[in-house]
Each structure stands twice: as C-alpha cells, then as structure tokens.
Amino acid sequence: GSSLLLLQENPCLVELLFHVLKSQDLSSRILSFSLRLAGIFAAQENCFQYLQQGELLPMLFGEVGPLGGAAWTAPAVRSGWIQGLRTLAQHPSALRFLAACGAVDTIFSLQGDPSLFVASAAGQLLVHILDLAMRGPAEGHRSPQACDWPACAQKIVGHIEDSLCSTAVPQVTQALSVLTTAFGHCHGLWTQGLWVRLSPLVARLLEKDPVPASHSLVDLLLSVARSAPSSYRGLWETLAQTLSHLSPTQAGPLALGILKLQDCPQALRTQAFGILLQPLACVLEAAAQAPGPPGLLEGAAGNSMTVDTLLSSKSACVGLLCCALAHLGLLQPLPQRPSPWPQAPLLGAAVTILRLCSGSAAPTSDVGSRLCAILVGCGRVQRAALDFLGALSQGTGPQELVTQVFSVLLEYLVSPESSSMVLKKAFQATLRWLLSSPKTPGCCDLDPHTQLFLRELLPVLQKRLCSPCWEVRDSGLEFLTQMTRHWGGQAGFRQALLASEVPELTKQLLRDPESYVRASAVTATGQLSSWGLCATPASPECPGAQQSLLVELLHILSTDSEGFPRRAVMQVFTEWLRDGHADVAEDAERFVAGVLQAASRDLDWEVRAQGLELALVFLEQLLGQRGSRCPYAVALPETAPPGVLAQALQVLCRVQLFEFAFRALFDCDRPVAQKSCDLLLFLRAKAAPCGSPQEAGDSPNMASVEATLQRWQAGEQGQPLGYLEPGAVVALLRSVDLEGLRDTLAESSDHVEKSPQSLLQDMLAAVGVLGENEADCY
C-alpha cells in the first residue's frame, strides 16, 4: 500500500521519528533503525513531500541531525544513515534534497571511514546516486556530454577525478572502487561517457612508479571488460599497457581475468598467457642441464623483470611462483583456456619446482643455483606446485614426463622432510594422477605402470599410517578410502592391498587417541569392508572377522567420547544398508533397531540426523523402492500397495523407528526436526489409503500416545512412546500437522526478531512516553 496513507492514518510513526531527534540518551540501535525507517517511507515521492513539510528529513539526514551529535561516533548510526539515504534516493526530489542538505560531501568523507562496512556502503551509495542522476539525461542519447550532466553527477565525477589525481593512495583506491562498482552494476549508456571522460586519468596512473592501488586498478579494468568491452573505446589498449607496466606479481590477476573473457583480441590473450607462463619459463630455463626443446609460448621466456623478481628475495620469489601456479591451475579446466595448451612444458616446470624445493635438482647455471637456495624446503611453494600438478592430471603428457611425475610424487611421500600439509597435498595429487591413468585397451584391470607404482606406494602408505603425527595418519586414511572407493573391484589393486599390512593397520587405527584419525579409520574400514578387503584373521578358526567389525563400529557409536567417529560410523552404516552389505542384509531388522537405539541417545545432532537418513533408506527398501525419489521434492511420492505397507509398518514398529522419528520431530536442533518431518511426510503419503482414521483413533493407547507427544513438544522427553500398533501410527501421521511444522521449521532462526510485530515493539519501547498511541501503532 501507499506509505503516505500509512503515515496519515498512523501519526504515531511521524511522532516517533520526531521523538528520536529530541531524545538525548537513545541507543544507537534505535537511532539507526529510525534512519532506515525514514528512508523507507521517503522512497515514495508523495510521502517524501509529506515528510518534507515538517522539515523532518533535513533534521534526520542533514547537518543538524545525528551528524553533529555524539551518536555519530557509533558505526551502526553511520551505517543506518547511509542505508536510509540509499533507500530514499529513488526519485528526482531526493536528488535535490541530497544536494541541498550537503549529504554528498558527508558520503565523500565516509569513504574513508574506519569501519570497512560503512566505507564500502558509502562507495555503493555514491554509485547509486550517480546512476539515479544519469538515468534521465542518458535516455534517448547515445552518450551524454559532460556539460549536460546534472549538478549532482558532476559533483561526484569531479570528486572521482580529484581522487584519481591525488598523491594519496587511499584516495586513489576509493575512486577506483567506486568506478569498479559503477561499471559492474550500472548498464546505462552514460557509463560510456564516464569511461571516455575518466580513462585518460586511469591510464595516467600507469606512468607512476610504482603504480598506485594496483589491485583496485586491476579490479576496475576487469569490471569494465566484463560489462560490454566493445562499447568502451581504447579498453584493449589500456589493458595491454597495464600488463606491460605492472610488476609480474601485480599483473598475474589481470592476466588471468583477461584469459577468462569470452571475447578478447588474440594478441592480448597471447600477452596475458605469456605473463602467467614467465615465472615457470624462467624456472625451466634456469634448471635446464642443456638447452630445452622449444614449445613454451613465444615471449614467455627470457623476461629480465621476472628473473629479477624471482631472485630479489625469498618472499618475492615465493609469492610470484605461488600466484603463477594458482592462476594456471584455475585456468586449466576452463573451456576458454589458451589453445594449444602447453601441457608438457607445464608438467616439466611443476616437476622441476618440486625438485628445487626438495633439493634433489642439480642446476648448473648460477640462476638455477640461487633459485634452489631460495626454494629448498619451502612448504608454501611445495603445496602450490602439488596442487598445480594435481590439476594437470586432467591432461595427457609424454610417458617419460608422466613417469617423472609419479617419481617426484613418491619422492615427496617417502621424504621425512615433507610436512603434514605437504604430504596431504602429495596424497591428493597422487590420487588424481592414479585415477586419470589410461586404461589398457581390452582390459578392465589397472595398466602395468599403475600396478608397478602401487607396489612401491603401499609400503609408503603403510609407513605413513604409523606416523607419530596424527595429521599424516589422517591424510593416509583419506587417501586409502578414496583409492578403495574407486578401485575396490580391480584385481590388481585388491591383490596388492591384501598382500600388505595396510588393512590391519587401518583397523588398529579405530582405537587411535586422536578423534579425527578414528573417524577417518571408521570411513576407511567401512569402505574396505564393503569390497571384502578388511583384515582377515591369520587362522581359519576365526571366521567372524567381518562380523566383529560390525560389533566394533556399534561399540564406537555407543561409547566414543568424540562426535566425529560416531558421525563416521552412522555414515558407514547408512552406506552399508543402502548397498546391501552382507553382514547388514543378514538381519537388517536387528541391525536397524540397534543403530537407531544408539543414535536416539546421542547428544550430537549430526548423528541423530544421520540416523534419520538411515531410517529413510530402510523405509524405502521395505517398500521395495530402493533409491526412490528424494522426500524433499515438491511432488508427493506414489502410495504403496496396502499389503506391502501393512508389512512395512509392522517392521517399522518393531525396530521402534517411529519412537525415534517422533522424538526427533521435536528435537531442539532444527536440522534434525526438519529431516524427521520430511521422513514422516514421505511415509504419510505412502500410507494414504491404509486403514480408517476412526478405527485407528479408537485404539486404547492413542490418548496416552498423543499426551506423550505433547509433553515431548513441550521439552519433556523422558517418557518413552511405547510400542505402537500400525493403525495408531497411521492415525498419528494424519493427526499431527506436519505441513505446518515444516513451514515453521523452514523459517529463519531470527524470523521473530525480523517480524513486523517485533519492529513495532521496538518502536513502542523507543517512545515509551507515547502510551496513548499504542493502539494506533498496532
């Protein structure tokens, strides 16, 4: 409805705003709210005029208001002032008001506010005002001349021009940030005129040494290039000049951004790619035993500035290499990456960097020796190079280079000098290369090279599982889990794994003192067991090894003091049930009953939520709908045949699934209650044709069951629900307002505080003296 009508029918709202101005001891929260509220009302022009009659807006947003008071020191008030003006600035009258009350000058000063949130909001408000001012003159004109721009726009653009010419870097940064927002969010024709007017000043920044605010300059140029590059005259030339003038480290993000553009001149793409390749080209050249083969992109090698940066200091060298590796890694999977992609040289560079860092390289040149001295033992570069090497696994390379890749990965996995984080990255890169290994034509097993590498790798993994460092043990278990998940059915992998001590060590780690390791060991043993690869007893007199694992995992679920292992057990059990694990399928009803009983007592909400996931899998299997549609979908699932449903309800009652689900329905943790609600809605839809509500409602224990549910809802969950008959279950499902509960649970946790009633209560609390207006307010 109309804000004007609201104000006319509820004068207490205007009185509230006047009272806020008069009060001396008002909290910053209430004052900030009042400024935002005034902005909401004034967003409609007729309402704006109504508030102007009493000079309310100048008193709120002008110099006589909070600007000159002690409350202005609170960031919340300054933020509320900006947000109020942002909402208010929607029409021509607002522009005139902003000019008259001096608000634009205040916004200029707030760009340098100590609060980053306030400073950012001030820059965004300037862009909003500029866009509002330019909408009129830009309509119907190709690109309005500067002399035609409104006074408010002229003032803002003039301030930006002054800031770009300033010798103070913070002011340059502020101007570039405002322009970045403008070109990123405003798409009117006037932005072309803005670029024509300001691009010479932007280009002039490149003449300074060093280039001021280089990060902000890169953000601006990429923002312009992403919007409509063909509309901005001279943009490609400016980008090329910027690439040439920035240092190698500064130019990297710009080069990556250029290569991500869909439409870009080929010469500029070549220049940008060359900048990303230069650090790696220098490494290859410095470490080469003999002149290397051609193939790296032309112009990438031999850049003296890049060599100087690499050798200037350890921090500069490390920073440049890490940025180059990260940028190339991001570029590798993109469809618009440069073609041809120099896969072989990049592989060679990554391997060389890793060898320089480990000290195993033997460069003969002076530059290579200095690089080796800088990089040896540098964990940051090792991690970046391993990440990049893993990304390159998506491509192919000469067999000789691939052999070098596996060799350097094994070297890092074996080395006692490798830190826990470096080892984690080495395991991840190794996994990616193993999974990308080519398959032998006509053979479903692993290729000979992979099998040979596995025989070397498993003893190393075995050693790492015994490491005194828990992070290393954890990384080794994660690697084993992923390998088993992908290769559990491969004969070569199975043979090599069972010939090692890895399965036995993994089982021993179920009792590790570190909870993270125990959780990873649970996941790994669960995966091994799914493929029949668990440790087997040495003698034939112990046939129950697999069964003992199930008992051990149940023991962990019931007794482990930490949540991570218990969550892992629940996930393993859910997978086992879903996949038809032999030991679970043997007596699924008993298995589910035991797991749900343990999960219902667990204090960790994620364990209880996973218990509901397991219950859903069991329910789907009982109804003969393995892998059925997700219960969160909008459309309801089809109903089950009455005979199947009756049997399923009997089983569900015996395993006390409903006791678990109804208790979870009133769980204090919202995700658990949501999951339970979805599960019961799913079951109710399946049970639609089953039984008569009247017949079920006459059940003798229905009254006590409903009373128990009410106590549970009130937070008294001590009393059990007891055994339920299937008819009572169906009646309960129909009587409980599951849809209403689902809607309530879907609301945000602060929906009460954000509700209109809550805001009105805040307003009444702020103007407690206006008791006679309480009825009007509500």
Side-chain angles (χ1 to χ4, degrees), residues 233-454:
R233 192 174 64 216
L235 173 62
W236 302 129
E237 290 79 3
T238 303
L239 285 167
Q241 290 173 12
T242 308
L243 286 174
S244 302
H245 283 80
L246 293 179
S247 70
T249 306
Q250 294 169 335
L254 179 58
L256 177 64
I258 288 170
L259 290 167
K260 285 183 176 180
L261 296 174
Q262 296 293 340
D263 300 309
C264 177
Q266 185 57 43
L268 184 60
R269 288 177 61 82
T270 302
Q271 182 186 3
F273 195 35
I275 283 174
L276 294 184
L277 291 172
Q278 279 170 7
L280 303 194
C282 290
V283 169
L284 275 178
E285 190 175 336
Q289 301 290 339
L296 213 55
L297 212 68
E298 289 183 14
N303 186 289
S304 59
M305 186 187 294
T306 304
V307 175
D308 292 343
T309 303
L310 286 171
L311 300 180
S312 61
S313 67
K314 180 167 184 173
S315 61
C317 179
V318 168
L320 179 57
L321 279 179
C322 287
C323 286
L325 292 165
H327 291 150
L328 287 166
L330 290 171
L331 197 59
Q332 196 276 338
L334 298 181
Q336 66 267 38
R337 74 180 188 187
S339 181
W341 177 257
Q343 175 79 359
L346 290 176
L347 277 176
V351 169
T352 300
I353 290 171
L354 287 169
R355 286 182 171 157
L356 287 170
C357 290
S358 68
S360 61
T364 54
S365 69
D366 181 53
V367 173
S369 300
R370 291 169 65 185
L371 267 179
C372 192
I374 290 173
L375 294 177
V376 68
C378 180
R380 186 179 163 199
V381 175
Q382 288 173 336
R383 295 193 300 272
L386 286 165
D387 276 339
F388 180 53
L389 193 60
L392 290 175
S393 66
Q394 303 307 306
T396 57
Q399 184 57 49
E400 180 186 353
L401 264 177
V402 173
T403 302
Q404 290 182 36
V405 167
F406 280 111
S407 174
V408 79
L409 287 171
L410 193 64
E411 177 187 329
Y412 269 78
L413 291 171
V414 169
S415 172
E417 303 298 323
S418 296
S419 69
S420 59
M421 276 306 299
V422 168
L423 275 171
K424 185 180 183 72
K425 298 290 186 183
F427 272 127
Q428 291 171 345
T430 302
L431 180 68
R432 295 183 72 173
W433 273 94
L434 283 172
L435 297 182
S436 67
S437 300
K439 303 293 184 292
T440 305
C443 178
C444 60
D445 203 2
L446 305 177
D447 71 276
H449 293 288
T450 304
Q451 293 197 33
L452 179 63
F453 181 74
L454 269 180

Side-chain angles (χ1 to χ4, degrees), residues 173-251:
T173 303
Q174 292 166 17
L176 293 171
S177 298
V178 168
L179 290 175
T180 301
T181 305
F183 286 107
H185 294 85
C186 305
H187 305 293
L189 295 176
W190 63 269
T191 57
Q192 297 172 30
L194 184 67
W195 174 253
V196 170
R197 178 169 172 176
L198 296 180
S199 57
L201 295 178
V202 172
R204 204 171 297 164
L205 294 174
L206 300 174
E207 299 171 4
K208 300 181 180 179
D209 188 22
V211 176
S214 60
H215 290 294
S216 299
L217 177 61
V218 167
D219 290 341
L220 168 62
L221 293 176
L222 289 177
S223 179
V224 177
R226 291 185 192 113
S227 56
S230 59
S231 305
Y232 300 108
R233 192 174 64 216
L235 173 62
W236 302 129
E237 290 79 3
T238 303
L239 285 167
Q241 290 173 12
T242 308
L243 286 174
S244 302
H245 283 80
L246 293 179
S247 70
T249 306
Q250 294 169 335

Side-chain angles (χ1 to χ4, degrees), residues 474 477 481 506-507 509-511 515-530 534 549 552-554 556-557 560 564-573 575-576:
D474 192 56
L477 288 167
T481 301
T506 303
K507 191 173 180 183
L509 290 173
L510 291 172
R511 295 178 288 279
S515 65
Y516 290 108
V517 179
R518 293 199 301 276
S520 295
V522 165
T523 306
T525 52
Q527 196 61 231
L528 289 169
S529 178
S530 294
C534 259
L549 176 61
E552 188 160 3
L553 294 184
L554 276 170
I556 291 171
L557 178 62
D560 200 294
F564 296 110
R566 302 198 307 274
R567 294 175 196 172
V569 169
M570 287 302 302
Q571 289 168 353
V572 166
F573 282 166
E575 284 184 20
W576 281 6

Side-chain angles (χ1 to χ4, degrees), residues 526 529-531 546 575-586:
S529 178
S530 294
W531 289 101
Q546 291 277 66
E575 284 184 20
W576 281 6
L577 181 63
R578 183 181 289 118
D579 298 338
H581 189 286
D583 296 321
V584 172
E586 186 178 328

